[in-house]
Amino acid sequence: MTKKLSFIFIFIFTLIIFSNGVVVYGSPVIPEVSAPNAVLIDYTTGKVLFDKNAHEITYPASTTKVMTAILVLENANLNDVITVTDDLYVDGSSMYLLKGESFTVKELLQTLLIRSANDVAEVFAVHISGSVEAFAELMNKRAKELGALNTHFTNPHGLPDENHVTTAYDLAVIAKHAMTFDLFREIVSTERLTLEPTEFTPETRYYRNTNRFLWGTGGGNQILHNGAYTNVKYDIIDGIKTGYTNDAGNCLITSASVDGQRLIAVVLGAQGLNVYADSRALIDYGYDNFQLVQLAEKDLLKTTTPIEAGVEENASLYIAESLDVVIPKNVDITSINEEIIIYENIKAPILSGDALGKVIYSIEDEVIGETSLVIKDAIDKKTLFKKILIPSKLLIGFIIIFILWQIFVISLRFKRKRARNIYGRRYSSYKFNKSIIKPLFYKKK
C-alpha cells in the first residue's frame, strides 16, 4: 500500500511539472524586516515589490538630503563658486565651514552626500532660494511634482522637526528621480572624499561615505544574513543615503544594480546595524524573485494597416514607447502572449504620432502591459483634384513615349523641309500627326 501511494504521489508531481509545459509557480518567501517602515521598488518601472507600512508618515532624518541634492542639480551651476559669508553652526554632522571659505557647487554637493554635512545643506538653501524657509517651499513643490504626495519638508537636512515628515514610498520615488542624474549616481557610490586645505582650514579634509554598504568590513561591520554573520559591504550596492536622529532611528535608501536591473530599497526607523540587514534582505528578495523584461522597444516597426481614402494605401505602425515589466523570476518569458489590435475605421487624414492601434501583453488571462502603435509620417486625404493631377504609372509612361515620338516626327519633318527648301519647294508647317493616336480611338471594320 505504501509503495502504491508513493507511486501515485510521484506520478501526480511529474504530471504537474511537465504536463503541457505548464509550470506551477510557488509564492516567494517574504523577507523579515525588523524596521517599522520599508519599501522595495523596481527602478525602471517603479513597481512596488515589497511594502511594509510604506505610506505611513514618519521622519526621514538625513535621507532628506536626496531632495536637496536634486534641487542643487536642477537649479545651480556645478562650476559656480560659493563663498561662506557668515559663521555657521548647524547641529549634527557637519563640514564645519568657516566664514570666507570658498568651494564649488560640485565640491559642496559631494560633501553633502558623502559627509552628510548639515551646514552645507543650509548653504545650498540660501544660495538657491535666499533662505531656508523659501528653499523648503521649493522642496515641497518639487516633491509633489515627483509624486511624493505625503511628504512635507521644513529644512534641507532633516534635523528633527515634528512637521518635517515623509514616507518610505515617497523617499523611494524621490530617490528614483535622483538616480537619473549621472553625477548623483557617481557621488553616492563614492567611498571616500578628499578636500584640499583652504586659507581658513589648513588641514586636508578626509571624509568616508556614511553608507557602510560601500566599505563596511571586519569587526563592527557584521550583520546577520541568512542565518550567518557577514560583512555589511555588498558589492552590488551603489548608493544612496543614510540618516539618523533619535526620533527617526536609523534610515537608509539603498540602490543596487545587477545585469541592468536596478532596485531601490528604503528602510526607516531601524535599530543599529539592522538597517543594513533589513535593506540587504529586501535587495536579495528582489533579485531572487523578480526579473525585468522588455516587452517592446520604442520606434520598432511592428506592423502595417490599410488606410481608407489616403494618398498612401498603407501605414507603417511603430511602438510608441518602450515597455518594461517586472514579472516573477520563475515565469518563462516565452509564455508571454502578444496581441496586436488595430483600431477600426482608420481614415485619412492622419497626423504624425496618431495612435492607430495597440499591443497588449499577457500571461494566461492576466494583462501585464500594453503600448500604443503610432504612425510616424502624416498621411493626407486623397482628393478628386489629386486623382486628376496624379496619373497612374502606366499613363505617365504612355505620355513620355508619345512626347518622344512627336519629337522624332518633328525632327524628321524638319530635315525634309530643309531638303525641299534646297530645291525651292515649299514645305507646309508641322501638323499634328493624327495617325499616331488614331488606332487608339478607331477600330478597323
Side-chain angles (χ1 to χ4, degrees):
M1 185 67 179
T2 304
K3 290 184 177 180
K4 185 176 181 180
L5 288 175
S6 298
F7 174 80
I8 293 173
F9 175 81
I10 293 171
F11 173 79
I12 293 174
F13 180 80
T14 304
L15 185 64
I16 292 173
I17 297 297
F18 296 106
S19 177
N20 298 320
V22 176
V23 179
V24 178
Y25 306 112
S27 298
V29 178
I30 305 300
E32 293 184 4
V33 174
S34 63
N37 307 96
V39 71
L40 175 70
I41 70 168
D42 174 73
Y43 169 80
T44 302
T45 65
K47 182 175 181 178
V48 175
L49 307 179
F50 176 91
D51 177 338
K52 180 180 180 182
N53 303 319
H55 296 279
E56 183 177 273
I57 293 177
T58 186
Y59 300 118
S62 284
T63 59
T64 298
K65 296 185 177 91
V66 174
M67 187 73 248
T68 301
I70 289 174
L71 294 182
V72 172
L73 289 165
E74 292 178 343
N75 295 279
N77 187 323
L78 295 173
N79 296 318
D80 282 353
V81 175
I82 297 178
T83 299
V84 180
T85 57
D86 299 299
D87 289 324
L88 285 176
Y89 175 77
V90 183
D91 195 20
S93 177
S94 179
M95 185 178 172
Y96 303 109
L97 289 167
L98 299 177
K99 182 178 179 179
E101 285 193 302
S102 297
F103 296 92
T104 66
V105 169
K106 182 178 179 180
E107 288 172 330
L108 292 175
L109 184 61
Q110 291 172 314
T111 310
L112 175 79
L113 294 171
I114 294 174
R115 170 65 175 170
S116 194
N118 295 330
D119 53 353
V120 171
E122 292 202 359
V123 167
F124 275 139
V126 174
H127 177 73
I128 293 172
S129 298
S131 69
V132 168
E133 293 74 19
F135 188 76
E137 291 180 8
L138 181 61
M139 294 172 74
N140 291 325
K141 178 176 180 294
R142 192 71 181 101
K144 295 296 186 294
E145 292 172 350
L146 294 176
L149 304 181
N150 294 307
T151 292
H152 183 265
F153 295 119
T154 62
N155 61 64
H157 36 59
L159 287 176
D161 184 323
E162 63 179 8
N163 295 315
H164 188 91
V165 293
T166 188
T167 69
Y169 176 79
D170 282 5
L171 285 177
V173 169
I174 292 170
K176 181 177 182 296
H177 179 68
M179 290 296 282
T180 64
F181 295 94
D182 292 341
L183 181 58
F184 183 89
R185 293 199 304 273
E186 176 187 326
I187 293 174
V188 297
S189 64
T190 300
E191 180 183 338
R192 299 176 188 277
L193 173 66
T194 301
L195 293 177
E196 296 301 320
T198 69
E199 178 183 354
F200 303 91
T201 303
E203 300 85 11
T204 301
R205 290 176 166 100
Y206 298 98
Y207 298 130
R208 184 167 61 180
N209 201 310
T210 58
N211 188 352
R212 298 194 191 192
F213 267 138
L214 302 178
W215 53 267
T217 61
N221 290 298
Q222 300 288 302
I223 57 174
L224 187 62
H225 181 69
N226 290 336
Y229 283 95
T230 186
N231 289 323
V232 171
K233 179 177 168 59
Y234 198 19
D235 290 338
I236 68 172
I237 290 175
D238 55 4
I240 298 179
K241 187 71 189 74
T242 62
Y244 174 78
T245 65
N246 289 332
D247 292 333
N250 282 282
C251 305
L252 180 60
I253 306 175
T254 302
S255 165
S257 181
V258 175
D259 296 332
Q261 182 181 10
R262 183 180 297 280
L263 300 178
I264 294 178
V266 179
V267 173
L268 302 177
Q271 299 298 314
L273 291 182
N274 286 340
V275 72
Y276 293 102
D278 288 345
S279 298
R280 176 160 182 173
L282 290 178
I283 294 297
D284 285 354
Y285 166 76
Y287 287 121
D288 288 344
N289 294 283
F290 300 96
Q291 59 180 324
L292 179 68
V293 178
Q294 184 175 72
L295 298 179
E297 183 181 354
K298 184 178 180 179
D299 295 333
L300 178 70
L301 175 62
K302 197 65 180 177
T303 187
T304 60
T305 186
I307 301 298
E308 184 178 340
V311 295
E312 300 289 340
E313 295 181 355
N314 295 287
S316 297
L317 300 184
Y318 298 83
I319 298 293
E321 296 292 339
S322 294
L323 178 62
D324 298 280
V325 297
V326 175
I327 59 176
K329 201 164 189 176
N330 52 9
V331 171
D332 184 357
I333 61 175
T334 61
S335 67
I336 298 175
N337 300 313
E338 176 185 272
E339 180 185 6
I340 297 176
I341 297 177
I342 306 300
Y343 300 146
E344 297 179 353
N345 302 320
I346 299 177
K347 298 180 181 179
I350 301 173
L351 301 178
S352 174
D354 280 354
L356 305 185
K358 61 183 178 180
V359 186
I360 298 176
Y361 299 90
S362 61
I363 298 176
E364 296 180 350
D365 295 328
E366 181 182 355
V367 174
I368 59 174
E370 65 177 64
T371 186
S372 297
L373 292 173
V374 297
I375 183 173
K376 284 190 174 182
D377 300 317
I379 296 180
D380 293 330
K381 184 177 181 180
K382 185 188 295 184
T383 64
L384 179 61
F385 179 73
K386 290 183 178 180
K387 289 180 182 178
I388 295 173
L389 292 184
I390 304 177
S392 67
K393 294 181 179 179
L394 181 62
L395 183 57
I396 292 175
F398 174 79
I399 292 173
I400 293 174
I401 294 174
F402 176 76
I403 293 173
L404 292 175
W405 174 252
Q406 292 304 308
I407 292 174
F408 171 74
V409 171
I410 292 171
S411 175
L412 183 62
R413 290 190 174 183
F414 180 75
K415 290 180 180 179
R416 288 180 180 177
K417 180 178 179 181
R418 289 186 60 190
R420 290 176 181 178
N421 286 340
I422 293 174
Y423 296 101
R425 295 177 62 182
R426 292 185 178 182
Y427 184 71
S428 62
S429 60
Y430 168 70
K431 294 183 179 180
F432 181 77
N433 188 358
K434 295 181 179 179
S435 62
I436 299 299
I437 62 173
K438 186 175 181 181
L440 300 175
F441 299 94
Y442 302 95
K443 297 181 178 179
K444 291 183 179 180
K445 295 182 180 180

mmCIF file of all heavy atoms in Angstrom, residues 159-189:
data_model
loop_
_atom_site.group_PDB
_atom_site.id
_atom_site.type_symbol
_atom_site.label_atom_id
_atom_site.label_comp_id
_atom_site.label_asym_id
_atom_site.label_seq_id
_atom_site.Cartn_x
_atom_site.Cartn_y
_atom_site.Cartn_z
ATOM 1 N N LEU A 159 17.122 67.564 10.150
ATOM 2 C CA LEU A 159 17.195 67.635 11.610
ATOM 3 C C LEU A 159 15.781 67.678 12.190
ATOM 4 O O LEU A 159 14.842 68.116 11.519
ATOM 5 C CB LEU A 159 17.999 68.861 12.040
ATOM 6 C CG LEU A 159 19.513 68.758 11.800
ATOM 7 C CD1 LEU A 159 20.214 70.061 12.167
ATOM 8 C CD2 LEU A 159 20.110 67.590 12.595
ATOM 9 N N PRO A 160 15.602 67.201 13.431
ATOM 10 C CA PRO A 160 14.262 66.986 13.976
ATOM 11 C C PRO A 160 13.339 68.193 13.912
ATOM 12 O O PRO A 160 13.711 69.312 14.254
ATOM 13 C CB PRO A 160 14.544 66.594 15.431
ATOM 14 C CG PRO A 160 15.906 65.988 15.393
ATOM 15 C CD PRO A 160 16.659 66.778 14.364
ATOM 16 N N ASP A 161 12.142 67.917 13.416
ATOM 17 C CA ASP A 161 11.054 68.884 13.371
ATOM 18 C C ASP A 161 9.790 68.062 13.194
ATOM 19 O O ASP A 161 9.696 67.258 12.267
ATOM 20 C CB ASP A 161 11.230 69.863 12.203
ATOM 21 C CG ASP A 161 10.165 70.952 12.190
ATOM 22 O OD1 ASP A 161 8.990 70.651 12.523
ATOM 23 O OD2 ASP A 161 10.479 72.088 11.828
ATOM 24 N N GLU A 162 8.818 68.250 14.084
ATOM 25 C CA GLU A 162 7.625 67.399 14.033
ATOM 26 C C GLU A 162 6.842 67.565 12.734
ATOM 27 O O GLU A 162 6.034 66.716 12.374
ATOM 28 C CB GLU A 162 6.729 67.694 15.227
ATOM 29 C CG GLU A 162 6.183 69.111 15.272
ATOM 30 C CD GLU A 162 5.275 69.338 16.473
ATOM 31 O OE1 GLU A 162 5.203 68.443 17.341
ATOM 32 O OE2 GLU A 162 4.642 70.420 16.546
ATOM 33 N N ASN A 163 7.074 68.663 12.031
ATOM 34 C CA ASN A 163 6.388 68.890 10.754
ATOM 35 C C ASN A 163 7.227 68.462 9.548
ATOM 36 O O ASN A 163 6.785 68.623 8.415
ATOM 37 C CB ASN A 163 6.020 70.367 10.612
ATOM 38 C CG ASN A 163 5.012 70.800 11.660
ATOM 39 O OD1 ASN A 163 4.041 70.095 11.899
ATOM 40 N ND2 ASN A 163 5.255 71.951 12.284
ATOM 41 N N HIS A 164 8.430 67.952 9.803
ATOM 42 C CA HIS A 164 9.315 67.509 8.729
ATOM 43 C C HIS A 164 9.137 65.993 8.584
ATOM 44 O O HIS A 164 9.758 65.206 9.311
ATOM 45 C CB HIS A 164 10.765 67.862 9.070
ATOM 46 C CG HIS A 164 11.737 67.610 7.946
ATOM 47 N ND1 HIS A 164 12.066 68.569 7.025
ATOM 48 C CD2 HIS A 164 12.439 66.500 7.606
ATOM 49 C CE1 HIS A 164 12.941 68.081 6.168
ATOM 50 N NE2 HIS A 164 13.179 66.812 6.497
ATOM 51 N N VAL A 165 8.257 65.584 7.650
ATOM 52 C CA VAL A 165 7.865 64.174 7.587
ATOM 53 C C VAL A 165 7.833 63.675 6.142
ATOM 54 O O VAL A 165 7.777 64.456 5.187
ATOM 55 C CB VAL A 165 6.468 63.978 8.224
ATOM 56 C CG1 VAL A 165 6.505 64.247 9.707
ATOM 57 C CG2 VAL A 165 5.415 64.851 7.518
ATOM 58 N N THR A 166 7.821 62.356 6.034
ATOM 59 C CA THR A 166 7.740 61.710 4.713
ATOM 60 C C THR A 166 7.252 60.285 4.922
ATOM 61 O O THR A 166 6.816 59.916 6.016
ATOM 62 C CB THR A 166 9.113 61.736 4.013
ATOM 63 O OG1 THR A 166 8.958 61.281 2.657
ATOM 64 C CG2 THR A 166 10.113 60.838 4.707
ATOM 65 N N THR A 167 7.350 59.480 3.863
ATOM 66 C CA THR A 167 7.042 58.050 3.939
ATOM 67 C C THR A 167 8.134 57.278 3.219
ATOM 68 O O THR A 167 8.890 57.852 2.417
ATOM 69 C CB THR A 167 5.694 57.727 3.275
ATOM 70 O OG1 THR A 167 5.812 57.919 1.847
ATOM 71 C CG2 THR A 167 4.582 58.597 3.811
ATOM 72 N N ALA A 168 8.200 55.990 3.476
ATOM 73 C CA ALA A 168 9.192 55.157 2.790
ATOM 74 C C ALA A 168 8.955 55.181 1.281
ATOM 75 O O ALA A 168 9.901 55.281 0.490
ATOM 76 C CB ALA A 168 9.117 53.720 3.316
ATOM 77 N N TYR A 169 7.691 55.123 0.886
ATOM 78 C CA TYR A 169 7.384 55.138 -0.547
ATOM 79 C C TYR A 169 7.790 56.463 -1.183
ATOM 80 O O TYR A 169 8.379 56.488 -2.276
ATOM 81 C CB TYR A 169 5.895 54.893 -0.782
ATOM 82 C CG TYR A 169 5.516 55.001 -2.247
ATOM 83 C CD1 TYR A 169 5.771 53.957 -3.137
ATOM 84 C CD2 TYR A 169 4.908 56.161 -2.740
ATOM 85 C CE1 TYR A 169 5.452 54.067 -4.477
ATOM 86 C CE2 TYR A 169 4.584 56.276 -4.081
ATOM 87 C CZ TYR A 169 4.850 55.228 -4.938
ATOM 88 O OH TYR A 169 4.539 55.343 -6.280
ATOM 89 N N ASP A 170 7.486 57.574 -0.522
ATOM 90 C CA ASP A 170 7.842 58.878 -1.077
ATOM 91 C C ASP A 170 9.347 59.012 -1.264
ATOM 92 O O ASP A 170 9.824 59.545 -2.280
ATOM 93 C CB ASP A 170 7.341 59.998 -0.165
ATOM 94 C CG ASP A 170 5.848 60.250 -0.337
ATOM 95 O OD1 ASP A 170 5.198 59.483 -1.087
ATOM 96 O OD2 ASP A 170 5.328 61.211 0.270
ATOM 97 N N LEU A 171 10.113 58.532 -0.302
ATOM 98 C CA LEU A 171 11.573 58.609 -0.429
ATOM 99 C C LEU A 171 12.063 57.742 -1.589
ATOM 100 O O LEU A 171 13.025 58.095 -2.273
ATOM 101 C CB LEU A 171 12.238 58.174 0.869
ATOM 102 C CG LEU A 171 12.187 59.189 2.022
ATOM 103 C CD1 LEU A 171 12.809 58.591 3.276
ATOM 104 C CD2 LEU A 171 12.879 60.494 1.642
ATOM 105 N N ALA A 172 11.399 56.614 -1.829
ATOM 106 C CA ALA A 172 11.779 55.771 -2.972
ATOM 107 C C ALA A 172 11.523 56.503 -4.279
ATOM 108 O O ALA A 172 12.333 56.442 -5.218
ATOM 109 C CB ALA A 172 11.005 54.456 -2.924
ATOM 110 N N VAL A 173 10.411 57.213 -4.352
ATOM 111 C CA VAL A 173 10.076 57.991 -5.552
ATOM 112 C C VAL A 173 11.097 59.103 -5.772
ATOM 113 O O VAL A 173 11.561 59.343 -6.899
ATOM 114 C CB VAL A 173 8.652 58.575 -5.429
ATOM 115 C CG1 VAL A 173 8.384 59.593 -6.522
ATOM 116 C CG2 VAL A 173 7.616 57.463 -5.485
ATOM 117 N N ILE A 174 11.450 59.798 -4.692
ATOM 118 C CA ILE A 174 12.441 60.873 -4.783
ATOM 119 C C ILE A 174 13.802 60.312 -5.197
ATOM 120 O O ILE A 174 14.489 60.873 -6.067
ATOM 121 C CB ILE A 174 12.541 61.615 -3.435
ATOM 122 C CG1 ILE A 174 11.238 62.386 -3.177
ATOM 123 C CG2 ILE A 174 13.736 62.563 -3.414
ATOM 124 C CD1 ILE A 174 11.118 62.955 -1.768
ATOM 125 N N ALA A 175 14.199 59.210 -4.588
ATOM 126 C CA ALA A 175 15.493 58.595 -4.922
ATOM 127 C C ALA A 175 15.518 58.101 -6.364
ATOM 128 O O ALA A 175 16.546 58.189 -7.040
ATOM 129 C CB ALA A 175 15.776 57.438 -3.968
ATOM 130 N N LYS A 176 14.405 57.584 -6.843
ATOM 131 C CA LYS A 176 14.316 57.119 -8.230
ATOM 132 C C LYS A 176 14.648 58.248 -9.200
ATOM 133 O O LYS A 176 15.387 58.072 -10.172
ATOM 134 C CB LYS A 176 12.910 56.574 -8.502
ATOM 135 C CG LYS A 176 12.678 56.023 -9.904
ATOM 136 C CD LYS A 176 11.267 55.463 -10.012
ATOM 137 C CE LYS A 176 11.009 54.854 -11.383
ATOM 138 N NZ LYS A 176 11.059 55.834 -12.476
ATOM 139 N N HIS A 177 14.117 59.435 -8.912
ATOM 140 C CA HIS A 177 14.424 60.580 -9.774
ATOM 141 C C HIS A 177 15.882 61.010 -9.618
ATOM 142 O O HIS A 177 16.553 61.333 -10.610
ATOM 143 C CB HIS A 177 13.501 61.749 -9.446
ATOM 144 C CG HIS A 177 13.769 62.960 -10.275
ATOM 145 N ND1 HIS A 177 13.520 63.007 -11.637
ATOM 146 C CD2 HIS A 177 14.288 64.178 -9.947
ATOM 147 C CE1 HIS A 177 13.857 64.195 -12.110
ATOM 148 N NE2 HIS A 177 14.332 64.924 -11.105
ATOM 149 N N ALA A 178 16.370 61.020 -8.396
ATOM 150 C CA ALA A 178 17.751 61.437 -8.166
ATOM 151 C C ALA A 178 18.737 60.573 -8.946
ATOM 152 O O ALA A 178 19.747 61.063 -9.466
ATOM 153 C CB ALA A 178 18.072 61.387 -6.672
ATOM 154 N N MET A 179 18.435 59.288 -9.062
ATOM 155 C CA MET A 179 19.346 58.372 -9.746
ATOM 156 C C MET A 179 19.334 58.532 -11.260
ATOM 157 O O MET A 179 20.085 57.861 -11.971
ATOM 158 C CB MET A 179 19.012 56.931 -9.369
ATOM 159 C CG MET A 179 19.358 56.571 -7.922
ATOM 160 S SD MET A 179 21.119 56.649 -7.546
ATOM 161 C CE MET A 179 21.681 55.108 -8.286
ATOM 162 N N THR A 180 18.520 59.422 -11.773
ATOM 163 C CA THR A 180 18.578 59.720 -13.207
ATOM 164 C C THR A 180 19.733 60.662 -13.532
ATOM 165 O O THR A 180 20.082 60.824 -14.701
ATOM 166 C CB THR A 180 17.258 60.351 -13.704
ATOM 167 O OG1 THR A 180 17.060 61.624 -13.064
ATOM 168 C CG2 THR A 180 16.077 59.439 -13.420
ATOM 169 N N PHE A 181 20.332 61.285 -12.514
ATOM 170 C CA PHE A 181 21.450 62.206 -12.714
ATOM 171 C C PHE A 181 22.769 61.429 -12.625
ATOM 172 O O PHE A 181 23.042 60.778 -11.616
ATOM 173 C CB PHE A 181 21.442 63.319 -11.669
ATOM 174 C CG PHE A 181 20.261 64.235 -11.747
ATOM 175 C CD1 PHE A 181 19.131 64.012 -10.972
ATOM 176 C CD2 PHE A 181 20.267 65.324 -12.611
ATOM 177 C CE1 PHE A 181 18.037 64.844 -11.029
ATOM 178 C CE2 PHE A 181 19.179 66.181 -12.687
ATOM 179 C CZ PHE A 181 18.051 65.941 -11.903
ATOM 180 N N ASP A 182 23.571 61.544 -13.660
ATOM 181 C CA ASP A 182 24.854 60.837 -13.685
ATOM 182 C C ASP A 182 25.732 61.228 -12.510
ATOM 183 O O ASP A 182 26.356 60.369 -11.874
ATOM 184 C CB ASP A 182 25.595 61.122 -14.997
ATOM 185 C CG ASP A 182 24.907 60.507 -16.205
ATOM 186 O OD1 ASP A 182 24.089 59.581 -16.021
ATOM 187 O OD2 ASP A 182 25.170 60.953 -17.338
ATOM 188 N N LEU A 183 25.813 62.520 -12.229
ATOM 189 C CA LEU A 183 26.692 62.988 -11.151
ATOM 190 C C LEU A 183 26.197 62.488 -9.801
ATOM 191 O O LEU A 183 27.007 62.102 -8.938
ATOM 192 C CB LEU A 183 26.776 64.513 -11.149
ATOM 193 C CG LEU A 183 27.682 65.118 -10.073
ATOM 194 C CD1 LEU A 183 29.109 64.588 -10.195
ATOM 195 C CD2 LEU A 183 27.668 66.645 -10.128
ATOM 196 N N PHE A 184 24.899 62.466 -9.599
ATOM 197 C CA PHE A 184 24.366 61.952 -8.338
ATOM 198 C C PHE A 184 24.778 60.500 -8.147
ATOM 199 O O PHE A 184 25.246 60.110 -7.066
ATOM 200 C CB PHE A 184 22.842 62.084 -8.317
ATOM 201 C CG PHE A 184 22.213 61.633 -7.028
ATOM 202 C CD1 PHE A 184 22.032 62.525 -5.981
ATOM 203 C CD2 PHE A 184 21.830 60.310 -6.840
ATOM 204 C CE1 PHE A 184 21.469 62.113 -4.771
ATOM 205 C CE2 PHE A 184 21.272 59.884 -5.647
ATOM 206 C CZ PHE A 184 21.092 60.787 -4.610
ATOM 207 N N ARG A 185 24.610 59.684 -9.191
ATOM 208 C CA ARG A 185 24.990 58.269 -9.092
ATOM 209 C C ARG A 185 26.474 58.124 -8.794
ATOM 210 O O ARG A 185 26.884 57.255 -8.020
ATOM 211 C CB ARG A 185 24.644 57.530 -10.391
ATOM 212 C CG ARG A 185 23.159 57.419 -10.654
ATOM 213 C CD ARG A 185 22.883 56.312 -11.669
ATOM 214 N NE ARG A 185 23.601 56.512 -12.911
ATOM 215 C CZ ARG A 185 23.154 57.225 -13.929
ATOM 216 N NH1 ARG A 185 21.978 57.828 -13.848
ATOM 217 N NH2 ARG A 185 23.853 57.347 -15.032
ATOM 218 N N GLU A 186 27.273 58.973 -9.410
ATOM 219 C CA GLU A 186 28.718 58.913 -9.190
ATOM 220 C C GLU A 186 29.070 59.250 -7.746
ATOM 221 O O GLU A 186 29.871 58.555 -7.109
ATOM 222 C CB GLU A 186 29.414 59.901 -10.134
ATOM 223 C CG GLU A 186 30.916 60.003 -9.938
ATOM 224 C CD GLU A 186 31.543 61.114 -10.761
ATOM 225 O OE1 GLU A 186 31.054 61.369 -11.880
ATOM 226 O OE2 GLU A 186 32.507 61.742 -10.280
ATOM 227 N N ILE A 187 28.461 60.296 -7.209
ATOM 228 C CA ILE A 187 28.792 60.744 -5.854
ATOM 229 C C ILE A 187 28.354 59.720 -4.811
ATOM 230 O O ILE A 187 29.132 59.360 -3.911
ATOM 231 C CB ILE A 187 28.149 62.113 -5.565
ATOM 232 C CG1 ILE A 187 28.789 63.194 -6.441
ATOM 233 C CG2 ILE A 187 28.329 62.481 -4.087
ATOM 234 C CD1 ILE A 187 28.123 64.554 -6.326
ATOM 235 N N VAL A 188 27.113 59.245 -4.902
ATOM 236 C CA VAL A 188 26.610 58.361 -3.843
ATOM 237 C C VAL A 188 27.273 56.984 -3.860
ATOM 238 O O VAL A 188 27.136 56.223 -2.894
ATOM 239 C CB VAL A 188 25.071 58.198 -3.925
ATOM 240 C CG1 VAL A 188 24.391 59.531 -3.693
ATOM 241 C CG2 VAL A 188 24.639 57.576 -5.256
ATOM 242 N N SER A 189 28.000 56.678 -4.914
ATOM 243 C CA SER A 189 28.734 55.404 -4.960
ATOM 244 C C SER A 189 30.201 55.576 -4.588
ATOM 245 O O SER A 189 30.971 54.614 -4.593
ATOM 246 C CB SER A 189 28.638 54.785 -6.357
ATOM 247 O OG SER A 189 29.263 55.608 -7.326
#
